[in-house]
Amino acid sequence: MNRRLTLTALLLAAPALASTAGAAPGSWRGTINMAAADYTPNFPGVKKENQLKVFQQIADEYEKRYPGIKIRFYTQPIPDTNTMIRVKAAAGELFDVYWAQAYSLNSTLPRGVAADLAPAFKQPNPYVPGNKAWQDVMDKAQLAEGRNANGAVYTLSGDKVAYTIFYNKDLFKKAGVTKVPTTWPELIAASKRLNAAGIFPMHAVPAYPWWSRHFLTDFYSKDYAKLTGYDGLPGQSPLDEAVAIHKGILTPKDDRFMSWWPVMKQFTDTWPKDYLTADPAKNYDAFQDFVGQKEAMLYEGSYKVREMLDAGVKFPVGAFNFPKLSKNESRHATGVNTANAYSGTGGFQFAMSTPLSNKTMREKGKTEAVLDWMRFFGTPRNLQRLTAEQGTYAPTWPGTSVRLALSNFDSGAITTQIKLPERSIGAQNASANLGWVDMQRIFGLYLSGNITLDQAKAQAQTVLDRAAQDYARKNKVDLSKY
Amino acid sequence: MTALPGFRPSPSPRWGTLARLRRGWPAYLFLLPTLLLVGYFSYYPAYIAVTRAFTDWDGLNVPNFTGVENFQRAVSDPVMGQATLNMAIWVVLGLILALVPPLLISELIFHLRGQRRQYAYRTLFVIPIVIPSLVLLLVWGSFYRSDGLLNNLLASVGLSGLRHDWLSDPGTALYSLIFLGFPYVDAFNFLLLYAGLQAIPQDVFDAAKIDGATGWRRVLRIDLPLLRPQLGLIAVLAIIGNVQYFISPLVLTSGGPGFATTVPALLMYFTATRDGEYGYAMAIAVLLMILVVALTGLSRWLSRGSR
């Protein structure tokens, strides 16, 4: 595709988004293709009783209202979303609406695969009675966290994952652990008892971005307003992260940043080493080990509950939250409950393709029609319906309530942590390699005893410096201004 | 002028290229579809890789020319340095594994008494070719686990001290991947060498026997010199294959622990598919291409020089 065609396509899309405040999809008629990921209705291979129906019902309601428009859900598994997006976009055949991680769209995926929804968010959503701007019904912190440095917002985001420590009650009982850990020393003690009983406490890749959120949110809690305020918006955006790195706050230059690594190592020293240095993508194996009762605990998202159901887990599963830290664990501990620290969105995270990534979006009026469909399903009422049925994600928009389908599980811990106020500090989103890749490698090497903390600090500093520079270069941001 | 039977008339120096093309047009016509397909699917991608290596292409938008920036980045990146060292170790050890075990096994089987026995053993070593390599990798991944077959085997023979976290220790991860797949008898290499042994006339073996060249002496003095074309081919293919190889680090270690098993080809793959930096990935691809050409040339030159 030549440059002129690209620019023309993008120029055509931008005013369409800005000027589509009306209630109807316009005159365009045809099929809107959507890849809804975890909210996909009628997914083949799923047991009938576990099939989701609500998105199809919402689509039926829309089709009834606008005859001639069809909503078609893609019902095949997509093992690697980013690769799918790249490949289909390069062919100009991307789905009209698709699930994608906001941070991928802001960093590693090519510009132009998703339309900027920010102008539409400033317009009223006609399907929300009395609404003046669609963004008024959204979670402001979440909106800011997904915001690109250029002001664009590529995803319509409305839910989040609750991270917790699932445990196998039978294995705990077998090891003689009668009290569910509520403090860090209790967690370590329980792990040692499990080990002594010949049971692996945990058998996983310790995902740096997830665990770090709990510790950093605690240790930096007094600086929360400062660390989330560089961009003038609520929540910690990638820009906030990059500025904090640049200022030497979210880096080993500040003792709080990595002082939790030895604390975490106490815990991982009770795990088998196989996964400590591995890729987080290999956590799938750890899940298999939990389901196969080879390990007693699993630190994962609430979405795993549904996967456990699908995997036919029969043993009793409980959950307990990340424990509060005390001064005994770290002099930086502030006593804040950070069980709810993990931020970001989950399954309700939808982007709209552009005329560049999807040739059919060049059809006159289609962009407006697709956006209208997003407005239709993107109301608090529909978000509530979808999350309540899916049962593993917590809706985040004001007025919605969490209804997790955890009937077979001891879900008290998850429901308790969701009620906590959202406060989250981490170093993950400013650059592609910042959490899941390069920092994860250093973290794994330290936890497995292959490098010292000082060596880890030096390597982490290099990664962070590069990340901040990459962010500034790619987004043309002068970090020294902040 | 009349041509002698069995001989083609030598082309007249007056005939130009066009005349030769006109004369052989049916052959060229039959070759044309193949040439077009090879051109489109092999040479064109290589052309794209070379040209886009000088851009910051993201795989979708119009590439921006950035000169030699990607190459400068590649040669100054410390991760690339470690990856190159890992690749060098892999190429050297991979070359030994590609040559020695298949040679030993082909010699042993070739000198078994009885055609039927030879056939049976040959089949035994070739049959594993039907197992998908990914299955083999996953099986070996489980062998290397802390509670896997290898550690259990060591413990059962009283060598518990040698138990190890094979893939999670930076000191052993690379070698674990290189030495994965015991007994390392690549079926293709084995058949190539076996066919080479079969091609040696029996008279040569008989003459060697009369001269007292038996056992290892025969292997060194007769077999190896006469297997040089096969060994040369295997060496070239092993070098090319190991420079470009990244499947087992991708599947089993993702290049870790740290960057202990990262090789340039894996870095290229991650740079493109995970980071979306296709321009940089293509610069790495071009560097690998140059390296393959250089190593292949070197191996051919060494092989010629020893004749």
Side-chain angles (χ1 to χ4, degrees), chain B residues 37-53:
Chain B
L37 289 172
V38 168
Y40 188 75
F41 288 108
S42 297
Y43 288 95
Y44 181 64
Y47 164 77
I48 291 287
V50 173
T51 51
R52 304 245 162 128

Side-chain angles (χ1 to χ4, degrees), chain A residues 414-450:
Chain A
I414 297 178
T415 46
T416 303
Q417 70 152 282
I418 287 168
K419 290 175 189 161
L420 291 171
E422 286 180 36
R423 286 166 70 88
S424 185
I425 292 293
Q428 174 189 352
N429 292 326
S431 166
N433 287 333
L434 193 46
W436 294 107
V437 186
D438 288 348
M439 282 294 276
Q440 180 72 47
R441 287 183 197 275
I442 303 164
F443 191 51
L445 285 174
Y446 170 74
L447 295 179
S448 60
N450 285 300

Side-chain angles (χ1 to χ4, degrees), chain A residues 79-403:
Chain A
D80 183 343
T81 304
N82 284 359
T83 299
M84 177 279 288
I85 292 169
R86 282 200 185 93
V87 172
K88 287 184 85 72
E93 293 173 356
L94 193 52
F95 299 105
D96 303 323
V97 182
Y98 57 96
W99 179 88
Q101 295 279 10
Y103 72 81
S104 295
L105 290 167
N106 284 333
S107 58
T108 54
L109 288 169
R111 294 278 157 85
V113 294
D116 176 15
L117 298 171
F121 289 166
K122 289 174 188 155
Q123 301 288 328
N125 182 335
Y127 302 107
V128 181
N131 179 248
K132 292 199 174 78
W134 192 3
Q135 63 193 22
D136 292 346
V137 301
M138 300 176 189
D139 180 80
K140 288 184 171 48
Q142 193 172 42
L143 194 59
E145 282 161 10
R147 188 171 172 267
N148 190 282
N150 63 12
V153 183
Y154 296 116
T155 56
L156 168 66
S157 302
D159 66 4
K160 67 175 282 180
V161 180
Y163 276 80
T164 192
I165 302 174
F166 296 100
Y167 71 101
N168 181 325
K169 288 185 172 179
D170 283 348
L171 293 181
F172 264 48
K173 203 170 165 184
K174 197 174 160 190
V177 182
T178 50
K179 185 178 177 294
V180 176
T182 53
T183 65
W184 192 258
E186 283 173 6
L187 178 62
I188 304 298
S191 303
K192 286 179 178 169
R193 287 199 79 138
L194 286 160
N195 253 335
I199 300 162
F200 291 139
M202 212 178 260
H203 204 159
V205 181
Y208 169 82
W210 297 350
W211 291 101
S212 66
R213 289 254 167 204
H214 292 294
F215 290 97
L216 296 185
T217 303
D218 180 348
F219 296 178
Y220 284 93
S221 71
K222 286 173 186 160
D223 289 334
Y224 182 77
K226 185 168 83 176
L227 291 176
T228 57
Y230 293 118
D231 62 357
L233 295 166
Q236 191 196 19
S237 66
L239 175 64
D240 290 328
E241 264 183 39
V243 175
I245 292 167
H246 176 73
K247 284 180 173 291
I249 302 171
L250 283 178
T251 77
K253 289 172 189 165
D254 188 309
D255 189 43
R256 291 171 291 182
F257 189 70
M258 281 170 71
S259 62
W260 63 274
W261 286 31
V263 181
M264 185 66 191
K265 193 169 184 308
Q266 291 177 338
F267 187 27
T268 56
D269 277 350
T270 64
W271 308 2
K273 286 188 175 177
D274 295 279
Y275 291 98
L276 295 186
T277 55
D279 186 329
K282 303 282 190 295
N283 252 343
Y284 173 79
D285 299 330
F287 177 69
Q288 295 299 325
D289 284 347
F290 182 75
V291 170
Q293 304 207 59
K294 284 178 78 175
E295 62 169 341
M297 291 184 273
L298 178 75
Y299 176 72
E300 261 292 1
S302 49
Y303 51 82
K304 281 290 172 196
V305 174
R306 182 164 281 278
E307 290 179 34
M308 283 183 221
L309 281 171
D310 291 340
V313 165
K314 298 282 184 237
F315 57 85
V317 176
F320 63 90
N321 291 329
F322 182 85
K324 265 195 212 177
L325 300 168
S326 71
K327 295 284 182 194
N328 289 332
E329 283 79 64
S330 168
R331 65 189 173 90
H332 300 296
T334 60
V336 171
N337 187 343
T338 62
N340 192 29
Y342 188 79
S343 70
T345 43
F348 194 92
Q349 197 172 194
F350 297 113
M352 182 172 79
S353 60
T354 64
L356 174 65
S357 61
N358 176 352
K359 288 173 200 154
T360 68
M361 294 296 262
R362 294 175 203 158
E363 291 169 22
K364 196 180 171 197
K366 183 164 182 185
T367 297
E368 292 88 330
V370 174
L371 185 61
D372 190 70
W373 158 239
M374 290 184 81
R375 283 179 171 138
F376 186 81
F377 75 73
T379 64
R381 179 175 167 272
N382 283 335
L383 173 66
Q384 180 72 71
R385 290 165 71 191
L386 286 161
T387 52
E389 184 199 34
Q390 216 280 347
T392 57
Y393 292 103
T396 52
W397 291 357
T400 54
S401 57
V402 181
R403 285 179 205 161

Side-chain angles (χ1 to χ4, degrees), chain A residues 1-3 6 86 89-90 108 110-113 203 273-275 277 279 282 289 294 356 433 437-438 441 445 450, chain B residues 58-62 64 145-147 165 168-170 250-251 254-259 272-276 278:
Chain A
M1 174 173 297
N2 62 35
R3 186 192 300 262
T6 307
R86 282 200 185 93
T108 54
R111 294 278 157 85
V113 294
H203 204 159
K273 286 188 175 177
D274 295 279
Y275 291 98
T277 55
D279 186 329
K282 303 282 190 295
D289 284 347
K294 284 178 78 175
L356 174 65
N433 287 333
V437 186
D438 288 348
R441 287 183 197 275
L445 285 174
N450 285 300
Chain B
D58 62 10
L60 181 69
N61 293 290
V62 180
N64 290 318
R145 278 175 69 134
S146 57
D147 58 347
D165 297 308
S168 59
D169 180 344
L250 174 69
V251 173
S254 302
F259 294 100
T273 61
R274 192 190 57 201
D275 303 343
Y278 285 83

